[in-house]
């Protein structure tokens, strides 16, 4: 079983802690899948600055393959964050640095590499939308994180991405159940076979075109709580590892009980992530402003 994260990487700089951590949606999913015992890799672009090396070194230390990655001249992506009552508040970023200004362009060798995976994961922060048809053509399953921004839920954006995605993850925050169901239906109708909406402490919901399945959030110990960074990515990693373990493929959709089990596995992974500072550790003290390197 193998999972590849294709797209964004970032340095998360916590201003309140004066600590920076490696992260990024696609990196996190690859790292979390590896921690769940799955072979994994990350395919993306690092900046040539020390922040790029910082992220790559941390990924390598987790046993995630980065051998096919590219280093481009310029700044790595960096975002500024603070934590308020356990929730992360994003204050600004440098637009993803070279990861998004000069994104990864897949060649034949990369497509062969992606074809070795059971699932390739990407996101709205990866500038990977034009590459999705090529990823899909390798035969691997494709998951995609649509995050929470309304512009990523428009008909035009769904038309551009959904036909090439097998599993979509939507961050639905404090949306009503009716609103979540409506968005899940829309994404499914656009071409995605399994659509999941995460709702924080309200749990998660999945739509497979026939039924809605719900999952409560797993309990957490408030005395051990660090922050919510990476919880959605941990949820997705737990979900897809469980689904792949049940035999999920483009030709086989697991039955409802297996889907429910996968949702529960995702909830457990998300709860465990609440005890981790940053996305997956490797914090380093830093005092420079966003967009600068050390």
């Amino acid at each position: 079983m193998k999972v590849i994260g294709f797209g964004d990487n970032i340095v998360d700089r916590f201003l309140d802690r004066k600590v920076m951590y490696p992260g990024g949606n696609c990196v996190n999913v690859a790292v979390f899948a590896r921690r769940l015992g799955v072979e994994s890799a990350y395919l993306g672009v690092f900046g040539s600055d020390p922040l790029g090396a910082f992220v790559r070194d941390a990924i390598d230390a987790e046993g995630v393959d980065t051998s096919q990655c590219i280093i481009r001249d310029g700044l790595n992506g960096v975002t500024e964050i603070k934590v308020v009552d356990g929730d992360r508040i994003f204050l600004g970023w440098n637009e993803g640095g070279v990861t998004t200004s000069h994104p990864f362009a897949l060649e034949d060798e990369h497509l062969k590499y992606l074809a070795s995976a059971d699932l390739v994961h990407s996101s709205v922060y990866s500038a990977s939308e034009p590459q999705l048809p090529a990823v899909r053509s390798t035969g691997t399953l494709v998951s995609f994180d649509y995050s929470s921004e309304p512009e990523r839920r428009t008909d035009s954006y769904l038309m551009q991405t959904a036909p090439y995605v097998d599993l979509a993850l939507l961050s639905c925050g404090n949306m009503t159940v009716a609103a979540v169901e409506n968005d899940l239906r829309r994404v499914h109708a656009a071409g995605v076979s399994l659509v999941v909406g995460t709702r924080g402490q309200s749990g998660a919901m999945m739509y497979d075109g026939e039924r809605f399945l719900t999952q409560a959030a797993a309990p957490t110990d408030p005395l051990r709580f660090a922050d919510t960074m990476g919880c959605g990515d941990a949820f997705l990693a737990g979900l897809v590892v469980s689904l792949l373990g049940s035999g999920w493929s483009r030709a086989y959709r697991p039955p409802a009980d297996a889907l429910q089990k996968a949702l529960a596995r995702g909830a457990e992974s998300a709860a465990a992530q609440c005890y981790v500072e940053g996305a997956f550790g490797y914090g380093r003290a830093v005092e420079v402003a966003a967009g600068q390197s050390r």
Side-chain angles (χ1 to χ4, degrees), residues 78-96:
V78 58
T79 186
E80 292 190 332
I81 301 166
K82 68 177 180 179
V83 176
V84 178
D85 296 328
D87 287 327
R88 65 193 188 280
I89 307 297
F90 290 95
L91 303 175
W93 69 321
N94 66 347
E95 303 297 329

Side-chain angles (χ1 to χ4, degrees), residues 220 224-229 231 269-277:
T220 57
R224 298 172 56 203
F225 199 94
D227 58 57
T228 58
M229 178 63 71
C231 286
S269 296
Q273 178 61 23
C274 292
Y275 307 135
V276 179
E277 286 197 354

Side-chain angles (χ1 to χ4, degrees), residues 44-279:
V45 178
F46 296 106
S48 59
D49 61 344
L51 295 183
F54 169 59
V55 180
R56 186 170 191 170
D57 288 348
I59 301 170
D60 288 340
E62 286 292 316
V64 175
D65 180 26
T66 62
S67 63
Q68 301 298 308
C69 291
I70 294 173
I71 299 174
R72 297 199 196 279
D73 288 338
L75 297 175
N76 205 79
V78 58
T79 186
E80 292 190 332
I81 301 166
K82 68 177 180 179
V83 176
V84 178
D85 296 328
D87 287 327
R88 65 193 188 280
I89 307 297
F90 290 95
L91 303 175
W93 69 321
N94 66 347
E95 303 297 329
V98 294
T99 301
T100 52
S101 65
H102 296 83
F104 205 103
L106 295 169
E107 305 290 346
D108 286 345
E109 63 186 287
H110 306 125
L111 294 176
K112 291 178 182 178
Y113 182 70
L114 293 180
S116 69
D118 296 281
L119 178 137
V120 172
H121 174 73
S122 196
S123 75
V124 298
Y125 302 114
S126 301
S128 61
E129 292 89 348
Q131 305 292 315
L132 291 179
V135 176
R136 173 83 171 192
S137 73
T138 66
T140 182
L141 289 162
V142 179
S143 62
F144 194 80
D145 193 321
Y146 282 85
S147 192
S148 60
E149 294 86 350
E151 61 268 27
R152 309 297 188 176
R153 310 275 175 93
T154 63
D155 290 342
S156 60
Y157 190 80
L158 292 179
M159 186 180 302
Q160 180 186 9
T161 57
Y164 312 106
V165 174
D166 299 285
L167 171 65
L169 186 74
L170 284 64
S171 298
C172 297
N174 296 320
M175 293 169 56
T176 65
V177 170
V180 175
E181 289 181 348
N182 180 65
D183 273 6
L184 299 190
R185 284 195 182 97
R186 288 184 60 244
V187 176
H188 181 273
V192 181
S193 58
L194 292 175
V195 191
V196 178
T198 56
R199 306 178 62 223
Q201 294 181 350
S202 297
M205 183 180 300
M206 174 186 283
Y207 183 59
D208 65 357
E210 298 178 3
R211 63 185 70 83
F212 286 99
L213 301 173
T214 59
Q215 173 62 48
T220 57
D221 180 357
L223 297 179
R224 298 172 56 203
F225 199 94
D227 58 57
T228 58
M229 178 63 71
C231 286
D233 304 334
F235 178 93
L236 180 63
L239 178 77
V240 299
V241 167
S242 181
L243 287 173
L244 291 173
S246 69
W248 178 42
S249 69
R250 196 160 294 151
Y252 172 73
R253 186 182 70 193
D257 60 338
L259 297 179
Q260 194 71 62
K261 180 180 178 181
L263 286 170
R265 180 73 177 276
E268 292 167 1
S269 296
Q273 178 61 23
C274 292
Y275 307 135
V276 179
E277 286 197 354

